[in-house]
């Protein structure tokens, strides 16, 4: 199934009779996702779609085989990013300030020495979230 999200071509493989879904990089287990090529609003919908599946086994693009609770945790990450972005926009922040102020580093474990890299991933995602929310709003007004 094509789901988009991580990249425009992201697809998953769902085997309902086996209770298994292969998610590719639309789901990564217990780690910060790389969002550089992603449509984060599609990504949220893809994770919701996976959450509705009757599966006991999730094979992620990165990390250990897991269950749907891991998918729910990644969905919470993106929803928190979206919520923080909305809150910062309401405070008058622009994209660059939002990228600096989003606070999600503690959402997943981070290896010692990799904090700056993960924070860069988060800043990239926050900028993409800002752009995609702004583009969506502009499309509705035009």
């Amino acid at each position: 199934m094509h789901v988009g999200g991580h990249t425009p071509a992201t697809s998953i493989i769902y085997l309902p009779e086996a209770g298994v879904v292969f998610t590719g990089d639309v789901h990564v287990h217990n780690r910060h996702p790389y969002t550089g090529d992603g449509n984060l609003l599609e990504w949220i919908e893809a994770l919701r779609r996976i959450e509705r599946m009757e599966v006991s086994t999730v094979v992620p693009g990165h990390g250990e085989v897991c269950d749907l609770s891991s998918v729910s945790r990644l969905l919470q990450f993106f929803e928190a990013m979206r919520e923080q972005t909305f809150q910062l926009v309401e405070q008058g922040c622009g994209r660059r300030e939002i990228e600096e102020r989003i606070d999600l580093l503690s959402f997943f474990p981070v290896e010692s020495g990799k904090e700056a890299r993960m924070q860069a991933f988060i800043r990239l995602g926050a900028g993409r979230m800002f752009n995609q929310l702004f583009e969506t709003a502009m499309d509705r007004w035009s």
Side-chain angles (χ1 to χ4, degrees), residues 67-120:
D67 61 23
L68 287 174
S69 65
S70 179
V71 174
S72 296
R73 184 72 178 147
L74 184 59
L75 178 57
Q76 291 168 2
F77 171 83
F78 283 115
E79 289 174 336
M81 181 181 286
R82 185 182 58 203
E83 182 60 30
Q84 286 185 34
T85 300
F86 275 131
Q87 289 173 356
L88 291 167
V89 166
E90 286 177 348
Q91 295 171 23
C93 298
R95 178 184 170 170
R96 291 199 193 279
E97 190 173 1
I98 289 169
E99 289 172 344
E100 294 302 319
R101 292 182 60 188
I102 288 283
D103 181 19
L104 294 169
L105 188 62
S106 63
F107 216 92
F108 295 108
V110 178
E111 266 184 64
S112 181
K114 295 197 175 190
E115 295 87 358
R117 182 172 187 224
M118 291 305 104
Q119 191 61 47

Side-chain angles (χ1 to χ4, degrees), residues 23-63:
T23 66
D25 288 345
V26 78
H27 176 64
V28 293
H29 175 65
N30 207 30
R31 62 179 64 198
H32 289 278
Y34 176 73
T35 58
D37 300 316
N39 179 317
L40 305 190
L41 302 178
E42 281 184 4
W43 205 328
I44 289 169
E45 291 308 313
L47 292 169
R48 286 180 179 157
R49 185 175 182 180
I50 294 168
E51 263 191 327
R52 291 189 301 269
M53 294 177 175
E54 293 185 25
V55 298
S56 56
T57 305
V58 176
V59 182
H62 296 273

